[in-house]
Amino acid sequence: QGQLVESGGGTVQAGGSLKLSCELSGNSAGSRCMAWFRQGPDNKREAVAVIDGDGTTNYADSVEGRFTISKDNAKKTLYLEMNGLNSADSAKYYCASDKWGCTLINGLPSLVQHDYTYWGQGTQVTVSS
């Protein structure tokens, strides 16, 4: 059984930064495709960033240039560094992973066309103005 545990959420002022972590264990530890999603007050789930087994990344337009997804295979941890936060970034953030490589669209891991096997419970990020 695989498990993902997120941490690092909290309340931050607009313009501030946070770094989220997602620890993988069990069967999820061997995941190749990993991603961060968020779900805001409208309950719509949005893919934020994805990283493939070879390190190729892709970002939603809304976070491009502000967020960075990375991973430490030795620590079995996925990260999301978030800078320049604004109120639109307030949401519950979830990590997801899959043992298979990411679905590629034009050579980039797709943000939307992939079914993830493992999901975390989420960590809340609130940006105050």
Side-chain angles (χ1 to χ4, degrees):
Q1 191 169 358
Q3 187 176 12
L4 305 180
V5 179
E6 303 95 339
S7 62
T11 300
V12 63
Q13 287 190 330
S17 300
L18 280 176
K19 187 172 184 177
L20 306 183
S21 299
C22 172
E23 294 187 31
L24 287 71
S25 63
N27 290 340
S28 71
S31 294
R32 291 182 56 196
C33 185
M34 293 181 278
W36 286 97
F37 288 77
R38 66 186 180 187
Q39 191 165 350
D42 60 0
N43 277 332
K44 180 181 177 182
R45 190 177 68 184
E46 174 191 21
V48 173
V50 59
I51 185 167
D52 207 348
D54 64 356
T56 305
T57 60
N58 196 13
Y59 297 90
D61 290 344
S62 58
V63 307
E64 180 84 54
R66 299 188 297 122
F67 289 13
T68 303
I69 187 171
S70 62
K71 60 180 178 172
D72 186 325
N73 290 329
K75 294 183 178 179
K76 298 181 176 60
T77 302
L78 177 70
Y79 302 101
L80 184 68
E81 185 164 3
M82 307 183 293
N83 299 310
L85 287 163
N86 58 61
S87 58
D89 297 316
S90 293
K92 194 164 189 178
Y93 284 72
Y94 300 85
C95 60
S97 73
D98 188 49
K99 66 177 182 178
W100 306 110
C102 295
T103 303
L104 299 181
I105 304 293
N106 294 326
L108 289 177
S110 174
L111 286 163
V112 296
Q113 294 184 25
H114 194 86
D115 292 327
Y116 293 90
T117 303
Y118 308 108
W119 289 85
Q121 294 300 306
T123 185
Q124 180 68 38
V125 172
T126 302
V127 183
S128 62
S129 56

